[in-house]
């Protein structure tokens, strides 16, 4: 029997944003569960009635105090976790955007414990959320993005 009292009935929609300033990307150290203490892209939940791109820019501002211009949708991710019985405990669908920094000095806010600009090829010393380093490597290698139209 699962120990979870309220198993999910559907996935939770979220966003993240890879904000680039030259050859550096802005990373946020998660200050809350899940993945507390791990470095990742800024992001979070989409609010009811909010467009995905607007949610990504809002989360970027709340977590880092930075403003950016979105280039397009980089990818979508499914993050599915299971409990000890194998039942789905959480399921997030994340829309990942690529953006270019416009203004603002990065500082941790909202759910971020810390923020920093890093070159995508210089991440080996960071404990990151699964797949983040690979995603950033693909972006620096020129992975296509879907532009908004």
């Amino acid at each position: 029997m699962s120990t979870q009292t309220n198993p999910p009935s559907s996935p939770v929609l979220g966003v993240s944003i890879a904000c680039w300033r030259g050859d550096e990307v802005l990373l946020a150290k998660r200050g809350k569960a899940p993945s507390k203490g791990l470095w990742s892209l800024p992001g979070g939940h989409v609010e009811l009635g909010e467009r995905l791109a607007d949610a990504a820019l809002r989360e970027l501002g709340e977590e880092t105090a930075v403003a950016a211009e979105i280039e397009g949708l980089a990818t979508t991710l499914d993050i599915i976790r299971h409990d000890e019985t194998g039942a789905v405990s959480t399921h997030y669908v994340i829309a990942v955007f690529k953006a270019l920094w416009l203004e603002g000095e990065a500082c941790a806010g909202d759910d971020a414990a810390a923020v920093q600009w890093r070159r995508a090829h210089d991440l080996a010393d960071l404990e990151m959320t699964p797949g983040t380093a690979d995603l950033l490597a693909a972006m620096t290698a020129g992975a296509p993005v879907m532009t908004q139209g």
Side-chain angles (χ1 to χ4, degrees):
M1 180 161 89
S2 174
T3 58
Q4 185 170 352
T5 57
N6 295 314
S9 60
S10 62
V12 175
L13 182 59
V15 291
S16 67
I17 186 164
C19 180
W20 296 88
R21 184 180 69 182
D23 66 348
E24 295 179 315
V25 66
L26 185 55
L27 299 174
K29 188 173 189 178
R30 296 189 54 87
K32 296 181 180 177
S35 304
K36 181 178 179 179
L38 300 181
W39 289 92
S40 191
L41 298 175
H45 291 96
V46 178
E47 296 175 357
L48 183 64
E50 188 175 36
R51 295 180 183 274
L52 292 174
D54 294 337
L57 292 172
R58 175 185 52 76
E59 287 288 345
L60 178 68
E62 288 175 1
E63 290 188 12
T64 71
V66 164
E69 179 179 10
I70 289 186
E71 281 195 333
L73 181 67
T75 193
T76 58
L77 303 172
D78 282 289
I79 300 172
I80 303 170
R81 295 185 178 104
H82 298 85
D83 66 16
E84 64 280 353
T85 69
V88 173
S89 59
T90 57
H91 181 178
Y92 294 96
V93 177
I94 310 293
V96 183
F97 289 89
K98 181 178 180 184
L100 299 177
W101 174 84
L102 291 176
E103 63 184 5
E105 292 298 321
C107 62
D110 197 30
D111 294 340
V115 295
Q116 64 175 301
W117 292 100
R118 290 293 285 263
R119 288 182 172 82
H121 66 273
D122 186 26
L123 304 174
D125 64 319
L126 297 180
E127 189 174 355
M128 303 186 78
T129 54
T132 301
D134 292 337
L135 174 62
L136 294 173
M139 285 184 177
T140 59
V145 295
M146 293 185 286
T147 57
Q148 297 178 347

